[in-house]
Amino acid sequence: MAQTTETPARAPGNGPVRTPRVHRAWFVAAVTFVTIIGSAAFASLPGLLIEPLHAELHWSRGTIGFAVSVNLALYGLTAPFAAALMDRFGIRRVVAVALSVIALGSLLTVWMTAAWQLVLYWGILVGLGSGSMALAFAATVTNRWFVARRGLVTGLLTAAGASGQLVFLPLLSWLVERHGWRPASVTVALAALAVVPFVWLLLRDHPADVRLAPYGGEYVEKPAPVTGAARRAVTVLLKAARTGPFWLLAGSFAICGASTNGLIRTHFVPAAHDHGMPITAAAGLLAVIGVFDVVGTVASGWFTDRFSARRLLAVYYALRGISLCFLPILLAPSVHPPMLFFIVFYGLDWVATVPPTMALCREHFGADSAIVFGWVLASHQVGAAVVAFAGGLARDLFGTYDVVWYASGALCAAAALMALVIRGPRPEAVLPAGA
């Protein structure tokens, strides 16, 4: 990982660019990794809240699922604007404000007494804050600080969310079971606030801020702040929406969100609890998914640097769909070997789709790929939002989640076919920056 053999580039008018033994880009990636780990606390909580809120406040699972769906939808719809805002105001400012909004929303839930307050505090405030901390954050850091090893870094930063899940899921499930859901909400607020000093003191917006070239690339001056961030995000969307690959990527990634965040993260714990499994045991299984998610995502980044991204996506979606179709017969009061096999298998595939999806965005949309990926991520979260609500509604109507598992498996098969249809771009089809 050390960058020791390159000839230093020269910054115009400022002498030679420094070439440290360990490139500063790796430290920026490390701070980003820790930040995403801290932000994973609020992503771990919704699935643990459904049963406690239903029992204490007598809200239907569909109502609670609606608040979670608002959170997931805003998470996605905020992401492309967050990428543009990072270009305008800098990564540090946007991320620090986002973490503060998350802390405020999570803390306010402690005093809520009506369902609309859950929608406002957790759905809207935490949704807006988390959207600014979405994978567009990882994409922006990767695009600015790395030329070489982008696939690997993408995998590492994507895996950070799973690593945070490992840290917070067991703790939050223990708090919910022993002390109720309110201490868990306070813990999420404190975790978000604890990360803010690391972001403000250690993160840097651009390699030129410290007179460095990106890792594996040549020195470039820091661009001037981009005005009209919202207009740029919409303009990039309109340009990208004229291309077939955008809709194929957005559609397949919507199914990715439906079959992960909307389905497993939101409904696995209550579904397992329906079969007699304790909440702590079910949350522990989600944490184990996080262990293998790290392995699978980092490996996927490595594969993405070497193999066809669209073929990787097709394999990932097909395997995920097969595993989901087996889940209804595996749920039981206790953890048994076939369930552990599902957890390992599914965990390896959880967000392995992200590195090849980012790579295809870079391949087709060039310098605007971070914003385009933000819109693709928006589709991911809209898909997750639909299933988060539909899953709770199906449980209220049918008394079981089985129909949701099977439907999601079929959708994954469709996503695999969509990935195979994507073709490489013509040279003139790549969008220039700010197009």
Side-chain angles (χ1 to χ4, degrees):
M1 291 185 181
Q3 191 176 9
T4 58
T5 60
E6 295 183 6
T7 302
R10 288 186 175 270
N14 292 316
V17 175
R18 297 183 296 111
T19 309
R21 182 171 297 276
V22 178
H23 197 285
R24 178 66 175 267
W26 295 108
F27 292 102
V28 171
V31 173
T32 305
F33 187 91
V34 171
T35 303
I36 295 173
I37 285 178
S39 67
F42 54 82
S44 302
L45 192 57
L48 303 178
L49 291 181
I50 292 178
E51 289 301 320
L53 290 176
H54 174 69
E56 179 181 332
L57 300 174
H58 307 294
W59 298 339
S60 71
R61 294 175 180 84
T63 297
I64 301 167
F66 175 72
V68 176
S69 73
V70 171
N71 175 290
L72 293 171
L74 285 177
Y75 176 103
L77 294 172
T78 303
F81 296 99
L85 286 172
M86 288 177 188
D87 286 344
R88 174 66 180 88
F89 298 106
I91 298 172
R92 287 196 303 170
R93 290 189 180 95
V94 172
V95 173
V97 170
L99 287 167
S100 300
V101 171
I102 289 164
L104 175 64
S106 183
L107 192 60
L108 287 174
T109 61
V110 173
W111 294 283
M112 67 184 178
T113 57
W116 67 265
Q117 293 170 327
L118 178 64
V119 174
L120 174 60
Y121 302 153
W122 193 267
I124 296 177
L125 289 180
V126 176
L128 289 172
S130 60
S132 301
M133 289 289 302
L135 288 172
F137 172 37
T140 302
V141 170
T142 303
N143 289 350
R144 289 187 184 183
W145 282 90
F146 290 87
V147 174
R149 308 297 187 203
R150 278 180 171 172
L152 175 63
V153 174
T154 298
L156 288 169
L157 295 182
T158 303
S163 301
Q165 184 171 298
L166 296 180
V167 173
F168 289 107
L169 259 177
L171 171 62
L172 294 176
S173 64
W174 179 83
L175 285 172
V176 168
E177 189 163 76
R178 296 293 184 89
H179 303 287
W181 59 270
R182 288 180 178 84
S185 292
V186 172
T187 300
V188 168
L190 294 177
L193 288 176
V195 177
V196 173
F198 291 95
V199 171
W200 195 255
L201 296 175
L202 301 177
L203 195 62
R204 291 295 180 268
D205 293 332
H206 195 278
D209 289 340
V210 287
R211 298 180 58 248
L212 285 175
Y215 181 81
E218 297 182 355
Y219 180 87
V220 292
E221 292 288 348
K222 182 177 180 179
V226 180
T227 58
R231 182 173 64 252
R232 182 184 174 206
V234 174
T235 300
V236 169
L237 170 64
L238 294 176
K239 292 287 187 181
R242 298 174 187 171
T243 68
F246 173 81
W247 292 108
L248 291 169
L249 287 169
S252 60
F253 219 42
I255 294 171
C256 179
S259 56
T260 53
N261 290 355
L263 182 66
I264 296 294
R265 178 169 282 170
T266 304
H267 293 294
F268 178 81
V269 170
H273 189 63
D274 282 348
H275 287 76
M277 186 179 293
I279 289 178
T280 50
L285 289 176
L286 278 184
V288 174
I289 284 179
V291 174
F292 290 95
D293 181 8
V294 173
V295 177
T297 307
V298 174
S300 179
W302 188 85
F303 290 145
T304 301
D305 286 333
R306 290 161 176 79
F307 302 106
S308 166
R310 67 185 184 88
R311 290 192 177 122
L312 287 174
L313 280 180
V315 171
Y316 296 157
Y317 285 126
L319 293 176
R320 183 184 299 175
I322 292 170
S323 67
L324 286 173
C325 288
F326 280 97
L327 183 57
I329 64 175
L330 299 178
L331 291 169
S334 60
V335 179
H336 48 84
M339 173 58 81
L340 288 176
F341 179 79
F342 167 82
I343 292 299
V344 172
F345 189 87
Y346 187 87
L348 290 171
D349 200 355
W350 177 277
V351 284
T353 56
V354 172
T357 300
M358 281 187 175
L360 287 169
C361 284
R362 282 194 294 267
E363 181 181 335
H364 285 271
F365 304 107
D368 282 331
S369 61
I371 296 177
V372 173
F373 180 73
W375 286 111
V376 172
L377 179 62
S379 72
H380 179 281
Q381 295 306 111
V382 169
V386 169
V387 172
F389 174 64
L393 190 62
R395 174 60 178 81
D396 288 334
L397 292 176
F398 304 115
T400 178
Y401 285 101
D402 287 0
V403 66
V404 186
W405 306 130
Y406 293 128
S408 296
L411 286 173
C412 287
L417 294 175
M418 293 169 72
L420 288 175
V421 172
I422 301 172
R423 296 297 182 215
R426 300 184 302 275
E428 65 273 14
V430 177
L431 296 179

